[in-house]
Amino acid sequence: MEKSYLKHVLALLDNYEIKGIDFEQAIEDLYDQLRRESNKYPSKKQITADLEKIIDAGLMRKLTRGYDVTPNATIFTRCTTHSVLEDLALFACICSDPHRHPRLREIIFQKSIDRTQLKQCLPSLLYEMTTQSRLFLSLPNDQVRIPDAILHDCQRIINEYKDGHGPLISPTILCYYLKTIYPSSKENWKNVDKPITQYPYLDEILTLLPRRGIPNNRDESKQLQSFYKDTLFHEFDHHCPICNIHLPHMLIASHIKPFRDCAHLYEPIDNNNGLLLCRNHDYLFDQGYISFTDDGLLLVCRELRKQSDYEKIYHLPSNFQLDPYLLTEERKLFLQYHRKHIFQH
């Protein structure tokens, strides 16, 4: 599969998915679009086979309500062709599900792997993985010498997914992606002196993105906000966890620590600093009427609890609890911030 075709298909699918269409409809829309663009277009049967390859490679997955392009694959699609970020993003897609690639699993689950080992095995490993997936990278193959800087990034990505339950999106890739969104902004940013969330990998974030603060102009953040929303749709299976509404135009990508309070670009783009909520529950959460414990239990403020039928009025189920898979250590840090600074108790 040619990379230009792969990226184009993924970009189209990424645009379609926000509409909430199912997998079969996506094939129909993709077929119609490719037919309009060129006289040489694949059949529906070929498109279906291509999408199965993309799913098999870990770049997309089927959901209960349709399908979803993975966040690392979205970055792979959006970044410049033949760039380091493009290669690292595809590598992260593969690392995020090592069970698809036995050789990678063997390496990731070692107790440790040093730079020399990685340098020796990475070129053939990448070639082997992308051959199995019937995809390819622009940079590495059996003959290409991989620069030490790339090795370091690959090693960091491997460590991120080392236990087989890594992040939804590689923090390394996310930092590189933010560099492309804000390549050379000279404007003075705000919140440069505010404390940054104490991520366990904060040192790595600040090494890759040393600039603190966020832009004063919210318009500068449109690309960041678009990616953030896409990622939360992916993580929350396109529905509000409280009331189960799954109409795309009714869902809001809600920051736990508000954008205005963020002290570093990484915070407002990080899916761990977010919940996908319907418009009603987004308002209640944003204004501090509801929050969540570290165990995901729903908290309701005293003002709402005074109303005897608040559970029915505001659709707040008693004893509601977020699914455990959503309660990452990073998201707990942001929920602690929300309870301290936003929740009205």
Side-chain angles (χ1 to χ4, degrees), residues 49-62:
D50 289 341
L51 295 190
E52 292 299 333
K53 293 177 187 177
I54 291 172
I55 292 171
D56 185 58
L59 304 181
M60 187 175 83
R61 64 174 183 168
K62 291 182 181 178

Side-chain angles (χ1 to χ4, degrees), residues 99-155:
H99 297 284
R100 297 177 186 272
H101 306 280
R103 176 65 177 136
L104 179 61
R105 183 172 68 246
E106 180 183 317
I107 290 175
I108 287 182
F109 292 142
Q110 289 185 59
K111 290 184 178 179
S112 63
I113 178 170
D114 60 31
R115 186 72 58 82
T116 301
Q117 288 176 294
L118 188 59
K119 192 170 186 176
Q120 290 173 348
C121 71
L122 190 57
S124 60
L125 172 64
L126 291 174
Y127 181 81
E128 173 189 332
M129 288 189 304
T130 52
T131 300
Q132 289 175 355
S133 303
R134 289 162 289 181
L135 304 172
F136 59 88
L137 299 174
S138 60
L139 175 67
N141 58 41
D142 277 338
Q143 286 75 42
V144 172
R145 176 186 175 277
I146 300 179
D148 285 345
I150 304 300
L151 284 168
H152 181 74
D153 294 327
C154 288
Q155 187 174 32

Side-chain angles (χ1 to χ4, degrees), residues 245-269:
I245 283 178
H246 61 273
L247 297 173
H249 64 279
M250 287 287 291
L251 297 171
I252 304 293
S254 183
H255 279 102
I256 301 173
K257 180 180 182 180
F259 185 94
R260 64 180 180 272
D261 295 338
C262 291
H264 190 278
L265 277 176
Y266 192 90
E267 292 179 315
I269 202 173

Side-chain angles (χ1 to χ4, degrees), residues 10-263:
L10 284 171
L12 291 173
L13 291 169
D14 206 26
N15 289 331
Y16 298 157
E17 73 179 42
I18 203 69
K19 301 175 184 178
I21 63 176
D22 60 28
F23 187 69
E24 288 69 25
Q25 185 60 52
I27 294 173
E28 293 288 339
D29 291 351
L30 194 57
Y31 174 75
D32 290 341
Q33 180 65 35
L34 294 175
R35 184 175 57 178
R36 287 194 295 268
E37 292 175 353
S38 172
N39 292 327
K40 297 179 180 179
Y41 54 89
S43 65
K44 291 180 183 178
K45 183 177 180 180
Q46 182 59 53
I47 290 175
T48 302
D50 289 341
L51 295 190
E52 292 299 333
K53 293 177 187 177
I54 291 172
I55 292 171
D56 185 58
L59 304 181
M60 187 175 83
R61 64 174 183 168
K62 291 182 181 178
L63 302 175
T64 54
R65 296 178 181 84
Y67 70 93
D68 201 289
V69 177
T70 63
N72 282 314
T74 296
I75 290 180
F76 166 72
T77 301
R78 294 180 181 181
C79 64
T80 304
T81 301
H82 304 308
S83 65
V84 169
L85 176 57
E86 182 184 69
D87 292 323
L88 290 177
L90 186 51
F91 180 57
C93 289
I94 297 169
C95 284
S96 64
D97 191 358
H99 297 284
R100 297 177 186 272
H101 306 280
R103 176 65 177 136
L104 179 61
R105 183 172 68 246
E106 180 183 317
I107 290 175
I108 287 182
F109 292 142
Q110 289 185 59
K111 290 184 178 179
S112 63
I113 178 170
D114 60 31
R115 186 72 58 82
T116 301
Q117 288 176 294
L118 188 59
K119 192 170 186 176
Q120 290 173 348
C121 71
L122 190 57
S124 60
L125 172 64
L126 291 174
Y127 181 81
E128 173 189 332
M129 288 189 304
T130 52
T131 300
Q132 289 175 355
S133 303
R134 289 162 289 181
L135 304 172
F136 59 88
L137 299 174
S138 60
L139 175 67
N141 58 41
D142 277 338
Q143 286 75 42
V144 172
R145 176 186 175 277
I146 300 179
D148 285 345
I150 304 300
L151 284 168
H152 181 74
D153 294 327
C154 288
Q155 187 174 32
R156 186 162 49 226
I157 291 169
I158 284 178
N159 287 333
E160 289 165 4
Y161 294 100
K162 201 168 188 65
D163 62 358
H165 302 283
L168 180 61
I169 176 168
S170 159
T172 298
I173 301 304
L174 203 51
C175 287
Y176 270 90
Y177 184 52
L178 282 166
K179 286 182 179 181
T180 69
I181 299 177
Y182 302 94
S184 58
S185 176
K186 296 180 180 179
E187 178 190 355
N188 290 326
W189 286 1
K190 63 182 180 181
N191 298 349
V192 293
D193 296 325
K194 285 192 173 184
I196 303 172
T197 300
Q198 291 301 300
Y199 291 100
Y201 38 83
L202 181 58
D203 288 345
E204 287 85 350
I205 292 174
L206 293 177
T207 297
L208 292 170
L209 286 173
R211 186 174 186 178
R212 294 173 179 254
I214 56 173
N216 286 292
N217 186 354
R218 187 69 179 262
D219 288 340
E220 284 191 36
S221 306
K222 287 182 178 179
Q223 190 175 347
L224 179 154
Q225 295 293 331
S226 172
F227 179 78
Y228 172 77
K229 183 176 181 178
D230 283 351
T231 306
L232 284 178
F233 264 76
H234 174 91
E235 184 178 21
F236 283 77
D237 198 13
H238 294 225
H239 75 283
C240 172
I242 300 176
C243 62
N244 210 36
I245 283 178
H246 61 273
L247 297 173
H249 64 279
M250 287 287 291
L251 297 171
I252 304 293
S254 183
H255 279 102
I256 301 173
K257 180 180 182 180
F259 185 94
R260 64 180 180 272
D261 295 338
C262 291

